[in-house]
Amino acid sequence: MPQPDDAPRTDGTSTAILVAVAWPYANNHLHVGHLAGAYIPADVFARYHRMRGNRVLMVSGSDSHGTPVTVRAEEEGTTPEAIFQRYHESFLRTFEGYGISFDLFTSTDTENHRDVVQDIFLRLLERDYMYEAEQELLYDPKVARFLPDRYVEGTCPKCGYESARGDQCDNCGSTLDAVDLINPRSRLSDATPERRKTSHFFLKLSAFNDRLLEWVESKEGWRPHVKNFTIGMLKEGLHDRAITRDLTWGVPIPLEGYDDKRIYVWFEAVIGYLSAAKEWAASDLNPTGDAEAWRDWWQSPEAGTYYFIGKDNVPFHTVIWPAILMGYGDLNLPTDVPANQYLTMSGAKASKSRGGVVWAPDALERYDPDPMRYYLTAAAPETSDSDFTWDEFVRRNNDELVARWGNLVNRVLTITRRNFEERVPEPPAQLSEESTALLARVDEAFGPVGESFEGVQLRRALNGAMEVATAANQYLDARQPWVRVKEDRDHAAETLFVALNVISGLASLLNPILPFTSQKVWTLLAHDGEVQAAGWQRTPVVAGTTLPAPEPLFKKLDDSVVEEEAARLAR
RNA sequence: GGCGGGGUAGCUCAGUGGUAGAGCAGCGGACUCAUAAGCCGUUGGUCGGGAGUUCAAAUCUCCCCCCCGCUACCA
């Protein structure tokens, strides 16, 4: 059977890698925090594995269901479908613009997803991992809807704070139960909520507690905050959770007599990873035409499955989703969940609801995707919250991309073309020691840089590649080809030949992070095809090749950008 | 409150037992091919505080202080 990804391999093996990325909630545009937290790391990881010749399937989709979508629709006097559709399209444009290379970006609003969810629901019910039970919840009679705890406000029974939310008091920090609030009122209508009994399906999470704990404790290499947080949760003990709600917008329950209830998003959305893989396999996007191809990623024991999410999503991916998978059976559990922490905006937490957000589509109107990808990778919140500042963006763009890397390419190509009839010069039969050492340096970098990408230590990978660019600049300064070309042409020829080869290696090393400009470098070196298809290795630059005229890879940004963006943020 | 992450040079951060590191900023220098970019040298830290283990601790243990997040019927 032909493989969906037939890129060359460097080590003779090809592994199925599922790159599963958080499902954005379709109630607003994406901001740079989303890009840094999930989409860019996922894409960098996926592109690296494609270069390695692995079969990558990268999927996600819009989360179309949920109370906020419904509420927003009512505010705007439109339908949840219309809200979801608007932002789904925005997401697709954003991904295209930033080069986020999904194999499929679908949504939870598909028949396929409904079928997959209902299949899982029924099997878990059949296996006694679900049960029906009655519970008492708050109901808003004015809008005729049961209220999530968050949508109830009232006086905190512990501290007397008058605007406590149903789930937690912002004043004293206590965790609350909405039915305990004094003078409760609905945030949807200001009506006084009433208690009503309602029946729901519960997922028996408690049944998976021990298995989950054993599984997580066996995981090596997980980020400390992900692993420790999960273990802590499991040691405290899981409680069963209702997975249905009294709603009409969502996946219907596949049983008679539940027309006014829906399967709730937190159970249903994570299933999207599986339904998206199935949708992809059955679609024209799958070059093999084999609708069962999804099994390569979900059932093969050699496959790797990686989930790129923000830290607020950790419990759903390290506890609930694995529990569902265990209950259903015969499906791979997550290999790793490299959740990122938060990206703050000049010190403040990025938030869709509050201001101070850099919107992803907006930023792309003023800046190129690669500098954004570079900065958001270099400053990614991998181990702790990190801060986005325009000052740092401008500095990294100017000092690192323009001055160190872009200028390296530009200066080498310019000197070469001017002095060697626009061709790659012929090196001597025997390279000097320093030339051999530099070529070895770039070739050997593929090892550790690759390992860093595999371990989702993207900042480390980026630094590993950029150090090679520094070494190349040092080499050039030491050998001064612009001087030697006048007195010892062979010496300069060797220098430039080696430098061009190092640049070729760097284009590949940086391609996962900088796909647009790496391809540009590829073209400037007169290589054929795509850098990605050349594999995870340096592609030799051949003497005698005619080189096209270079043009700058990156634009230098003026410091005034910092004030302009600050003014924009303040609006 | 509980749990988790973090507190290392002016700034952003790397570094999990063996004589404190990078980039930027600052200072000095040589060069001039290149988007006035690149290169060399250099100033600068009692590694949050305290105690302990060890021949040796930023790195392990305990206590304390500070910042951030999570606390699952919001996703």
Side-chain angles (χ1 to χ4, degrees):
Chain A
M1 183 175 74
Q3 297 303 339
D5 189 340
D6 58 1
R9 292 152 204 161
T10 53
D11 61 359
T13 61
S14 172
T15 311
I17 302 287
L18 180 74
V19 179
V21 199
W23 289 55
Y25 206 37
N27 70 339
N28 214 333
H29 301 284
L30 296 174
H31 56 62
V32 292
H34 294 116
L35 295 178
Y39 303 101
I40 287 174
D43 187 66
V44 169
F45 185 77
R47 285 178 186 270
Y48 163 73
H49 276 289
R50 290 192 191 110
M51 290 182 84
R52 288 300 303 265
N54 290 328
R55 285 133 46 218
V56 171
L57 182 61
M58 176 169 160
V59 294
S60 180
S62 293
D63 185 347
S64 57
H65 302 134
T67 312
V69 174
T70 319
V71 170
R72 175 139 195 178
E74 281 170 14
E75 282 168 4
E76 294 189 18
T78 182
T79 61
E81 288 90 336
I83 297 290
F84 141 70
Q85 200 61 45
R86 180 199 304 164
Y87 294 109
H88 182 67
E89 279 159 20
S90 164
F91 297 161
L92 289 172
R93 283 194 302 273
T94 296
F95 296 144
E96 162 114 47
Y98 284 92
I100 310 297
S101 56
F102 281 111
D103 291 287
L104 176 66
F105 185 82
T106 178
S107 85
T108 56
D109 192 39
T110 67
E111 285 183 24
N112 169 70
H113 180 66
R114 183 200 62 202
D115 292 347
V116 174
V117 169
Q118 292 185 340
D119 172 50
I120 288 180
F121 180 95
L122 289 173
R123 191 188 288 195
L124 292 180
L125 189 62
E126 184 186 298
R127 294 191 169 181
D128 276 335
Y129 289 127
M130 264 198 241
Y131 58 90
E132 201 175 359
E134 206 162 64
Q135 60 179 167
E136 195 172 57
L137 294 174
L138 291 174
Y139 181 83
D140 181 334
K142 230 178 200 170
V143 299
R145 183 181 301 151
F146 280 95
L147 296 167
D149 284 359
R150 257 210 179 195
Y151 282 80
V152 183
E153 276 183 0
T155 303
C156 174
K158 295 187 179 160
C159 73
Y161 179 63
E162 289 181 3
S163 300
R165 287 197 324 243
D167 53 346
Q168 183 173 27
C169 174
D170 285 336
N171 188 49
C172 68
S174 2
T175 306
L176 305 175
D177 204 331
V179 294
D180 296 334
L181 286 175
I182 301 159
N183 297 325
R185 56 191 178 274
S186 167
R187 284 177 60 184
L188 298 183
S189 71
D190 271 338
T192 302
E194 47 194 61
R195 292 167 180 234
R196 275 207 196 177
K197 285 193 173 169
T198 178
S199 180
H200 282 297
F201 286 91
F202 284 71
L203 177 64
K204 218 184 269 183
L205 282 171
S206 51
F208 299 98
N209 212 131
D210 295 345
R211 269 193 280 170
L212 286 167
L213 188 55
E214 197 179 333
W215 170 69
V216 174
E217 284 187 325
S218 75
K219 288 296 178 185
E220 304 280 342
W222 279 29
R223 295 184 178 178
H225 69 271
V226 175
K227 184 169 175 176
N228 292 339
F229 176 76
T230 305
I231 287 173
M233 234 173 110
L234 292 169
K235 285 194 168 160
E236 283 200 11
L238 302 175
H239 3 284
D240 301 346
R241 289 180 66 178
I243 63 148
T244 54
R245 289 292 184 283
D246 295 282
L247 298 169
T248 53
W249 172 237
V251 175
I253 295 168
L255 297 168
E256 291 294 319
Y258 293 94
D259 289 349
D260 54 351
K261 294 183 196 292
R262 292 292 183 273
I263 297 173
Y264 204 44
V265 274
W266 69 256
F267 177 82
E268 166 254 302
V270 284
I271 295 173
Y273 299 120
L274 177 60
S275 51
K278 290 186 171 182
E279 180 182 338
W280 174 86
S283 76
D284 296 341
L285 297 166
N286 175 4
T288 70
D290 174 13
E292 299 301 311
W294 62 271
R295 296 179 192 278
D296 284 356
W297 289 275
W298 283 97
Q299 294 186 318
S300 162
E302 288 80 37
T305 54
Y306 297 83
Y307 294 78
F308 291 83
I309 60 169
K311 66 174 160 185
D312 51 341
N313 244 323
V314 167
F316 295 93
H317 291 78
T318 62
V319 173
I320 292 172
W321 179 228
I324 295 171
L325 290 167
M326 284 174 176
Y328 188 84
D330 298 324
L331 293 172
N332 290 331
L333 299 177
T335 305
D336 194 5
V337 183
N340 270 340
Q341 311 255 2
Y342 285 141
L343 185 74
T344 55
M345 301 301 308
S346 301
K349 183 185 167 186
S351 163
K352 274 187 178 178
S353 45
R354 292 204 300 256
V357 171
V358 177
W359 298 105
D362 193 41
L364 208 51
E365 287 176 12
R366 298 187 295 286
Y367 309 103
D368 289 330
D370 273 1
M372 291 293 289
R373 291 174 64 105
Y374 181 88
Y375 173 53
L376 292 175
T377 300
E382 289 180 358
T383 53
S384 59
D385 290 356
S386 63
D387 200 32
F388 179 103
T389 63
W390 286 106
D391 194 62
E392 267 292 287
F393 171 71
V394 170
R395 188 195 67 71
R396 285 198 186 264
N397 179 78
N398 290 352
D399 292 350
E400 298 178 18
L401 290 179
V402 174
R404 197 189 305 175
W405 170 226
N407 183 52
L408 170 67
V409 174
N410 199 46
R411 69 198 292 212
V412 170
L413 285 171
T414 304
I415 314 169
T416 304
R417 282 171 43 90
R418 184 176 302 152
N419 296 292
F420 291 90
E421 294 82 44
E422 301 180 3
R423 287 162 189 266
V424 179
E426 190 75 41
Q430 184 72 43
L431 291 181
S432 69
E433 200 173 305
E434 53 194 345
S435 295
T436 308
L438 184 64
L439 286 175
R441 174 88 194 268
V442 69
D443 288 336
E444 284 163 10
F446 283 87
V449 171
E451 281 170 28
S452 296
F453 277 127
E454 270 167 47
V456 204
Q457 295 185 293
L458 309 183
R459 287 198 302 206
R460 179 188 294 243
L462 181 151
N463 290 333
M466 290 302 283
E467 279 169 10
V468 177
T470 297
N473 277 321
Q474 290 167 335
Y475 170 83
L476 281 179
D477 277 283
R479 292 179 58 97
Q480 303 192 320
W482 53 91
V483 174
R484 303 298 289 268
V485 71
K486 295 167 194 156
E487 60 212 39
D488 183 354
R489 198 172 160 81
D490 289 346
H491 186 276
E494 174 184 339
T495 306
L496 294 168
F497 172 83
V498 169
L500 287 164
N501 270 281
V502 172
I503 288 169
S504 179
L506 274 165
S508 290
L509 286 167
L510 289 167
N511 181 56
I513 296 164
L514 305 173
F516 296 96
T517 47
S518 292
Q519 184 59 39
K520 206 162 165 186
V521 173
W522 206 245
T523 307
L524 292 177
L525 294 175
H527 285 322
D528 291 330
E530 297 193 354
V531 56
Q532 175 143 307
W536 189 242
Q537 60 194 332
R538 174 173 62 89
T539 296
V541 174
V542 182
T545 307
T546 302
L547 297 167
E551 50 184 272
L553 297 179
F554 306 99
K555 293 194 251 318
K556 182 158 184 173
L557 297 172
D558 192 84
D559 287 342
S560 62
V561 161
V562 178
E563 283 95 65
E564 283 165 22
E565 293 296 341
R568 204 177 284 272
L569 271 175
R571 279 211 291 275

